């Protein structure tokens, strides 16, 4: 992290506009602030220092040693050849260097995105690359149109339900590799059935190595969490040992995978191989070419239109979940480290990453929580750390792919399982039970249906969340106070679905009583009303007038006052305070009512109404 007193490496975007805010739109578009919003690199690059360079290099190296084994493992989750994981791991590093608004975030393949790719691309690299291109186009369009707010309609319980289901699906999907089982289908329920059915065919070598790798990863992670901070007064030897432990625990994925590959190579030399290996990985850098807009199969050529139809709901689920995951990661670390991220700018960054990534055979990527945590813990200062990570991935593609042959699949399975295990939030069920039990409904609906089809789980959970939200809008809580007159106060705003419920609540307590009673509607919490509400209130006023009693209004805010005045409702009465309303309603019959008009509205509100 930057040292105390150092200026923030990534300046907050969207700050208050300087005194020239009244300039013409053309001038604003070319202003330095507007340019910095589109190219955030211009905000921190002028202040870049050698101390930042040192921290960025260390962080970039740490993330690079983490992403290489993870990329190979996530390609297995995506049901693609291992090189496609590496093809997907470097473009985001370079794009985010220019366009990213978070110093911590790293873009690349993730477990959840890889799972979605396996669902919608039929294990075909051509479909995966085209999905990256189309997802990027959708994300770019959302960024340019500033549609990031749409993601707010997917509630936290839905996200938690999807993430937890994906964690179980991904983790259990690696049991076959951990145990060396062959011929296990990828559909979750069939996978569970065939895994337990074929458990007797477990390869001892793979099972032992996989469990050893998991234990090593767990031990190294615990060590990483308990490494004491370095103090300047520590002896050089202690600081050196601390640095070695920190390096080993931070790069634990690369260390464990290298250990497993060395063990497998040792057996290969002896002529006996007890492990299932990754096998041949395509050597060299990927060719730069347009994404495939058609694909040739044994049955003929599949056109672009047919490919799009085949991917179906994936064209909505993949870009939206990619944005959700990336923005959630960015906002989480921005909150921890006290800086601001621009959600719409993040849409542009991830969208352009996917579009350009498709030119080098990448599948869809997003922000990685695990690698972002490594980046932050390594003390990254700016997005420049991603350059080191990207170069490291490119070097591994160019020079190390022949060594990947000896990596056991059980070791990669251990890496995946240990990476996704923290994503399962068992405590969320108890938290929602204590906070709001109704939120358990979208959580459980999403969680259960995602085991069947991801898109159905997300869609059903979002729909349930929307229905809960709409129910609160259509049936707002109404606080009732008995006194000299009846006072009813809606606890939230009034919108057209709520007017019938409000009408019923008022009529049941006033006009249906014997004798009919006057009432006060306290609109303190109502900031706006629509035409349907105005009509409903007009009907209520007519009902009260026919029964010879009065409905008065209190606490009308300016937009509500303006709407009621514009509707020219007859017999409407308004008081500034509840005491005033009770006084007028308690007077003897024949007393002049307090009618609503601009004369009865306080002067400061009249000014606002005429504004």
């Amino acid at each position: 992290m930057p040292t105390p007193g150092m200026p923030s490496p990534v300046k907050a975007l969207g700050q208050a506009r300087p005194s020239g805010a009244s300039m013409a739109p053309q001038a604003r578009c070319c202003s330095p602030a507007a340019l910095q919003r589109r190219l955030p690199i211009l905000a921190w690059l002028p202040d870049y220092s050698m101390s930042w360079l040192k921290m960025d290099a260390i962080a970039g190296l740490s993330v690079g040693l983490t992403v290489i084994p993870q990329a190979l493992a996530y390609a297995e989750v995506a049901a693609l050849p291992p090189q496609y994981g590496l093809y997907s791991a470097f473009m985001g590093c370079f794009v985010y260097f220019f366009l990213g608004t978070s110093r911590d975030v790293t873009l690349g393949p993730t477990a959840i995105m890889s799972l979605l790719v396996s669902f919608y691309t039929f294990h075909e690299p051509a479909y995966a690359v085209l999905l990256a291109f189309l997802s990027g186009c959708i994300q770019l369009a959302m960024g340019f149109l500033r549609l990031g707010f749409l993601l707010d309609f997917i509630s936290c319980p839905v996200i938690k339900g999807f993430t937890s289901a994906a964690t179980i699906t991904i983790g259990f999907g690696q049991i076959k590799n951990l145990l060396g089982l062959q011929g296990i289908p990828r559909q979750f329920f069939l996978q569970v059935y065939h895994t337990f059915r074929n458990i007797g065919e477990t390869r001892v070598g793979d099972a032992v190595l996989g469990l050893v790798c998991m234990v090593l990863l767990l031990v190294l992670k615990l060590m990483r969490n308990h490494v004491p901070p370095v103090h300047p007064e520590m002896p050089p030897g202690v600081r050196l040992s601390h640095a070695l432990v920190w390096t080993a625990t931070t790069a634990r994925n690369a260390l464990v995978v290298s250990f497993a590959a060395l063990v497998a190579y040792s057996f290969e030399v002896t002529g006996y191989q007890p492990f299932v290996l990754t096998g041949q990985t395509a050597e060299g850098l990927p060719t730069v070419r347009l994404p495939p807009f058609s694909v040739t199969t044994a049955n003929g050529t599949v056109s672009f239109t047919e490919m799009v139809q085949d991917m179906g709901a994936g064209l909505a689920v993949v870009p939206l979940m990619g944005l959700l995951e990336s923005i959630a990661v960015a906002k989480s670390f921005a909150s921890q480290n006290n800086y601001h991220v621009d959600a719409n700018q993040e849409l542009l960054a991830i969208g352009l990453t996917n579009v350009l990534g498709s030119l080098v055979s990448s599948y869809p990527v997003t922000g990685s929580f695990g690698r972002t945590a490594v980046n932050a813990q390594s003390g990254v200062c700016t997005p420049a750390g991603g350059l080191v990570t990207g170069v490291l991935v490119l070097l591994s593609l160019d020079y190390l792919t022949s060594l990947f042959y000896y990596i056991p699949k059980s070791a990669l399975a251990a890496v995946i399982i240990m990476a996704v295990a923290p994503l399962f939030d068992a405590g969320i069920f108890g938290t929602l039970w204590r906070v709001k039990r109704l939120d358990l409904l979208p959580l459980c609906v999403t969680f259960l249906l995602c085991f069947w089809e991801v898109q159905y789980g997300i869609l059903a959970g979002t729909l349930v969340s929307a229905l809960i939200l709409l129910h609160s809008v259509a049936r707002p809580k109404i606080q009732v106070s008995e006194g000299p007159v009846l006072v009813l106060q809606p606890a939230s705003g009034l919108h057209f679905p709520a007017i019938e419920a409000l009408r019923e609540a008022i009529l049941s307590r006033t006009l249906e009583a014997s004798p009919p009673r006057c009432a006060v509607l306290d609109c303190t919490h109502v900031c706006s009303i629509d035409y349907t509400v105005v009509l409903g209130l007009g009907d209520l006023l007519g009902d009260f007038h026919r029964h010879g009693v009065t409905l008065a209004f209190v606490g009308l805010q300016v937009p509500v006052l303006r709407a009621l005045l514009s509707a020219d409702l007859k017999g409407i009465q308004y008081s500034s305070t509840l005491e005033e309303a009770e006084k007028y309603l308690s007077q003897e019959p024949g007393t002049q009512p307090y009618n609503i008009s601009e004369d009865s509205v306080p002067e400061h509100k009249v000014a606002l109404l005429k504004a």
Side-chain angles (χ1 to χ4, degrees):
M1 305 299 297
T3 57
M6 184 181 294
S8 174
V10 179
K11 295 179 180 177
L13 301 180
Q15 295 174 350
R17 188 171 291 164
S19 57
S22 60
M23 65 181 70
Q26 294 86 348
R28 285 203 302 269
C29 291
C30 301
S31 68
L35 196 57
Q36 286 181 4
R37 280 195 296 273
R38 290 304 181 195
L39 277 176
I41 184 177
L42 299 178
W44 55 264
L45 190 60
D47 298 323
Y48 203 77
S49 65
M50 290 303 296
S51 60
W52 289 0
L53 177 61
K54 174 187 172 183
M55 299 305 295
D56 286 345
I58 293 173
L61 184 63
S62 302
V63 175
L65 293 175
T66 302
V67 72
I68 292 171
Q70 280 191 347
L72 295 170
Y74 291 154
E76 165 66 24
V77 176
L80 298 173
Q83 66 269 19
Y84 282 89
L86 294 172
Y87 293 166
S88 307
F90 64 85
M91 184 59 72
C93 302
F94 301 120
V95 173
Y96 206 78
F97 171 74
F98 294 98
L99 300 181
T101 61
S102 168
R103 64 169 174 260
D104 300 304
V105 166
T106 63
L107 299 181
T110 66
I112 290 177
M113 192 55 57
S114 300
L115 177 68
L116 294 176
V117 169
S118 75
F119 283 156
Y120 297 113
T121 60
F122 321 106
H123 312 168
E124 285 287 342
Y127 277 88
V129 174
L130 181 60
L131 182 58
F133 175 77
L134 295 177
S135 296
C137 291
I138 293 170
Q139 290 161 340
L140 278 175
M142 290 181 68
F144 282 122
L145 296 175
R146 305 190 72 79
L147 298 178
F149 72 92
L150 293 177
L151 301 177
D152 297 336
F153 288 94
I154 302 180
S155 65
C156 183
V158 173
I159 297 171
K160 288 289 186 180
F162 162 71
T163 304
S164 298
T167 300
I168 294 174
T169 303
I170 295 167
F172 197 89
Q174 294 306 307
I175 297 296
K176 64 180 185 293
N177 291 328
L178 197 71
L179 302 180
L181 301 178
Q182 303 292 326
I184 304 296
R186 287 186 172 271
Q187 205 282 333
F188 178 74
F189 295 110
L190 293 175
Q191 198 172 77
V192 172
Y193 172 74
H194 285 281
T195 298
F196 284 108
R197 182 182 179 184
N198 299 334
I199 198 74
E201 301 174 12
T202 298
R203 294 168 60 101
V204 176
D206 284 302
V208 171
L209 181 64
L211 292 174
V212 168
C213 289
M214 288 181 66
V215 171
L216 286 175
L217 288 169
L218 179 60
V219 170
L220 289 171
K221 182 180 179 180
L222 293 174
M223 289 176 62
R224 175 71 178 84
N225 295 337
H226 292 86
V227 173
V230 178
H231 298 291
E233 60 272 12
M234 286 183 174
V238 174
R239 278 186 287 174
L240 178 61
S241 62
H242 180 281
L244 292 174
V245 171
W246 182 88
T247 302
T249 54
T250 301
R252 57 185 177 274
N253 288 327
L255 196 64
V256 169
V257 168
S258 300
F259 160 76
L262 186 60
V263 172
Y265 179 75
S266 302
F267 277 101
E268 187 81 11
V269 171
T270 64
Y272 171 71
Q273 186 54 264
F275 313 120
V276 178
L277 303 181
T278 298
Q280 191 67 38
T281 302
E283 297 185 10
L285 301 176
T287 304
V288 179
R289 58 189 173 193
L290 290 174
F293 294 106
S294 63
V295 61
T296 302
T297 65
N299 299 323
T301 300
V302 181
S303 68
F304 171 73
T305 303
E306 292 171 324
M307 293 177 75
V308 170
Q309 291 174 347
D310 290 340
M311 288 185 284
L315 292 174
V317 174
V318 170
L320 286 178
M321 294 312 298
L323 294 175
L324 269 177
E325 190 174 0
S326 187
I327 291 176
V329 170
K331 287 186 175 180
S332 173
F333 282 86
S335 175
Q336 291 178 26
N337 299 321
N338 299 315
Y339 62 87
H340 171 71
V341 292
D342 183 341
N344 288 296
Q345 180 65 26
E346 292 294 303
L347 296 187
L348 296 177
I350 190 173
L352 189 59
T353 293
N354 280 320
V355 169
L356 296 181
S358 69
L359 304 180
V360 290
S361 302
S362 165
Y363 65 79
V365 301
T366 185
S368 165
F369 190 90
R371 294 193 298 275
T372 298
V374 171
N375 208 25
Q377 292 166 2
S378 302
V380 71
C381 293
T382 71
L387 296 181
V388 179
T389 301
V391 169
L392 202 60
V393 174
L394 291 174
L395 290 175
S396 70
L397 273 168
D398 212 18
Y399 297 107
L400 300 179
T401 46
S402 59
L403 302 179
F404 298 155
Y405 177 92
Y406 297 102
I407 298 176
K409 286 191 174 184
S410 59
L412 294 180
V415 169
I416 294 172
I417 292 172
M418 296 305 295
V420 301
L423 297 179
F424 185 83
D425 186 2
I428 188 64
F429 295 92
T431 301
L432 292 182
W433 180 263
R434 294 189 303 271
V435 175
K436 187 178 181 182
R437 294 176 186 178
L438 193 58
D439 280 341
L440 284 170
L441 186 57
L443 173 73
C444 293
V445 167
T446 306
F447 178 75
L448 295 174
L449 288 182
C450 277
F451 289 115
W452 175 34
E453 289 285 351
V454 170
Q455 67 267 26
Y456 296 150
I458 296 171
L459 181 61
T462 304
L463 182 59
V464 171
S465 293
L467 290 175
I468 293 173
L469 177 63
L470 289 175
H471 182 269
S472 66
V473 172
R475 297 295 182 268
K477 292 183 179 180
I478 300 174
Q479 181 179 344
V480 180
S481 302
E482 297 283 353
V485 294
L486 185 71
V487 180
L488 298 98
Q489 183 184 61
S492 58
L494 280 182
H495 304 281
F496 66 90
I499 188 60
E500 285 304 318
L502 177 66
R503 177 185 174 86
E504 183 179 339
I506 294 176
L507 291 180
S508 64
R509 292 173 171 85
T510 55
L511 303 189
E512 294 176 8
S514 183
R517 307 174 60 186
C518 295
V520 174
L521 186 60
D522 187 346
C523 298
T524 304
H525 301 301
V526 180
C527 58
S528 66
I529 55 175
D530 53 50
Y531 182 63
T532 305
V533 173
V534 171
L535 288 181
L537 293 176
D539 291 341
L540 268 176
L541 289 169
D543 291 338
F544 272 76
H545 179 71
R546 283 191 292 273
H547 284 79
V549 288
T550 304
L551 174 65
F553 292 82
V554 168
L556 293 176
Q557 298 187 35
V558 171
V560 181
L561 270 172
R562 183 182 288 118
L564 294 176
L565 286 172
S566 301
D568 195 23
L569 299 181
K570 295 181 179 179
I572 187 169
Q573 297 177 32
Y574 164 77
S575 297
S576 298
T577 65
L578 182 58
E579 292 76 12
E580 231 175 41
E582 291 177 342
K583 174 184 174 183
Y584 280 106
L585 293 179
S586 300
Q587 291 182 90
E588 294 296 325
T591 304
Q592 179 66 31
Y594 188 50
N595 293 321
I596 187 168
S597 66
E598 289 193 5
D599 295 331
S600 67
V601 178
E603 291 184 5
H604 68 282
K605 289 193 174 183
V606 171
L608 288 171
L609 286 167
K610 292 181 176 179

